[in-house]
Amino acid sequence: MRLKRFQLVWMLVLGLTFFGSMPASAAQSNVLRVGVNSDLDTLDPARIRNVASLLVGNNIYSSLVRFKPGSTTEIEPDLAKSWELSPDGLVMTFHLRKGVQFQKGFGEFTAEDVKFTIERHQNKATKSAFFQMYKAVKKVEAVDKYTLRLHFTAPTPAFFSTILTWRGGWILSKKAVEKFGKDYAFNPVGTGTYVFQSYQKGAKVVLTANKDYFRGQPHIGRVEFIPVPEASVAYAGIQAGDLDIMYTRNPTVFNRARKNKDLKVMFAPAMSVRSAYLNTSRGPLKDVRVRRAIVYAVNRKAILEHVLGNTGRLGSSFLSPNCWTHT
């Protein structure tokens, strides 16, 4: 079966849209209550599949590099303080921060933890979502405690933006994974801003400030992620003061919130698009004329206006303009 994407792209979805009354309630109680659109599936980076788990995990873990806050293209150091690439593009050497501590007493972060993390993704038994992506790495070498070297099968220009800055680049504590084994999914240990404390299925996840965070202790002491699948229900929670922040891609709720002067609304374009896929190996869809007719028949402007509430713009490609490969 072959699936081919045609230019039925109609909208760039809102990638990170959140709003709430954070300054008032969070400042008073030093607890931030965040509404997310589902329960967690896991906090093991190799197996995360939903947005809620991604949002929680992003506060627990750190990566070698990260996107500079406010940017989806500019890379800056995180656990790696610097790096260099060989002239042939096949060897990348990272120089790591010294003295960074894993949470919950699991010791200092070292090159061995990075090596362990990457090789775990490369192990078929892990069933990592990044297994195929890490095939570009031929060898992982912990040169010394604070130096890591990656050997590539070929120059890989998108390695930072598609793997290291994503959950595939979150660095695990080797000791913690070996200790918890199959129970690691809800016993995560990282070097990030917040420390995992508890998880009540269907109710909430509790994180507390990492006092040893290498960039400095965060100002808010406790964060609670509360699953609220319905965007309208979460919005009611914001208005009632039961939530401080909510994330949404729901255009109706988003546009309603933008008119509410009591809320602060922040949004950014996504790296993704909404599109339709056609199976070109079956029936009438084998005929390019049929496929072209479908493309011409779809009123993208009407979908954008009436279904999606003008919360995006028409795409000119099957890639978002925010992707470096867009053109």
Side-chain angles (χ1 to χ4, degrees):
M1 180 185 295
R2 292 186 298 121
L3 292 177
K4 187 172 182 180
R5 188 194 299 235
F6 285 85
Q7 297 219 356
L8 286 156
V9 179
W10 55 74
M11 175 191 171
L12 302 179
V13 296
L14 296 173
L16 178 59
T17 305
F18 67 91
F19 48 86
S21 54
M22 178 177 59
S25 57
Q28 291 170 7
S29 64
N30 204 27
V31 176
L32 185 67
R33 298 159 301 172
V34 182
V36 291
N37 66 356
S38 72
D39 200 0
L40 303 190
D41 54 1
T42 177
L43 288 172
D44 180 344
R47 301 186 179 97
I48 286 176
R49 292 294 190 277
N50 69 23
V51 174
S53 299
L54 181 65
L55 291 172
V56 174
N58 202 42
N59 288 279
I60 297 170
Y61 298 101
S62 306
S63 307
L64 292 177
V65 299
R66 69 176 190 175
F67 284 121
K68 189 174 181 180
S71 171
T72 57
T73 56
E74 190 176 350
I75 303 293
E76 69 176 12
D78 200 18
L79 289 172
K81 61 182 182 180
S82 64
W83 55 88
E84 62 258 358
L85 185 65
S86 63
D88 61 5
L90 297 179
V91 181
M92 187 175 293
T93 303
F94 292 90
H95 304 283
L96 309 181
R97 292 179 185 267
K98 297 180 180 179
V100 175
Q101 297 296 314
F102 278 108
Q103 301 153 357
K104 299 188 175 182
F106 278 93
E108 187 182 10
F109 152 77
T110 71
E112 283 295 334
D113 296 294
V114 184
K115 176 178 168 68
F116 170 80
T117 298
I118 294 175
E119 291 180 343
R120 184 172 182 264
H121 283 292
Q122 293 179 316
N123 186 342
K124 281 188 177 181
T126 306
K127 298 181 180 180
S128 171
F130 292 86
F131 174 77
Q132 291 292 337
M133 292 184 175
Y134 269 116
K135 279 189 173 181
V137 179
K138 180 171 62 175
K139 179 183 177 182
V140 187
E141 182 183 2
V143 180
D144 58 40
K145 194 174 181 180
Y146 304 112
T147 308
L148 181 87
R149 189 166 291 145
L150 300 181
H151 300 261
F152 293 88
T153 57
T156 311
F159 188 68
F160 276 23
S161 59
T162 59
I163 300 179
L164 291 191
T165 53
W166 194 232
R167 67 181 186 276
W170 292 348
I171 304 302
L172 309 177
S173 161
K174 180 180 178 181
K175 291 179 182 177
V177 175
E178 290 176 344
K179 175 181 177 179
F180 293 114
K182 64 180 181 180
D183 295 325
Y184 181 80
F186 291 102
N187 288 281
V189 174
T191 57
T193 323
Y194 284 87
V195 182
F196 175 85
Q197 294 297 333
S198 63
Y199 167 60
Q200 294 173 264
K201 186 174 179 60
K204 66 181 175 182
V205 184
V206 177
L207 308 182
T208 56
N210 182 2
K211 297 179 180 179
D212 299 318
Y213 181 50
F214 61 89
R215 293 182 185 275
Q217 182 178 343
H219 297 296
I220 295 176
R222 177 183 171 104
V223 181
E224 298 177 357
F225 290 86
I226 302 166
V228 187
E230 291 293 330
S232 58
V233 176
Y235 183 62
I238 287 284
Q239 292 179 301
D242 297 326
L243 295 174
D244 301 305
I245 290 179
M246 68 172 287
Y247 296 82
T248 189
R249 291 181 176 181
N250 182 298
T252 302
V253 170
F254 172 66
N255 285 323
R256 193 181 305 162
R258 285 202 295 185
K259 297 175 182 177
N260 189 331
K261 295 181 180 180
D262 294 327
L263 301 180
K264 181 176 183 180
V265 179
M266 300 178 69
F267 62 95
M271 300 288 278
S272 59
V273 295
R274 290 192 179 183
S275 56
Y277 291 83
L278 305 180
N279 186 341
T280 63
S281 67
R282 293 184 179 180
L285 291 177
K286 291 181 179 180
D287 189 335
V288 67
R289 295 171 301 173
V290 174
R291 301 196 298 264
R292 286 172 179 162
I294 293 173
V295 172
Y296 290 130
V298 173
N299 189 334
R300 302 192 305 152
K301 290 183 179 179
I303 292 172
L304 177 61
E305 180 180 355
H306 300 295
V307 179
L308 301 172
N310 286 316
T311 53
R313 56 176 168 150
L314 297 178
S316 59
S317 165
F318 57 85
L319 292 175
S320 164
N322 296 308
C323 294
W324 68 277
T325 53
H326 175 245
T327 60

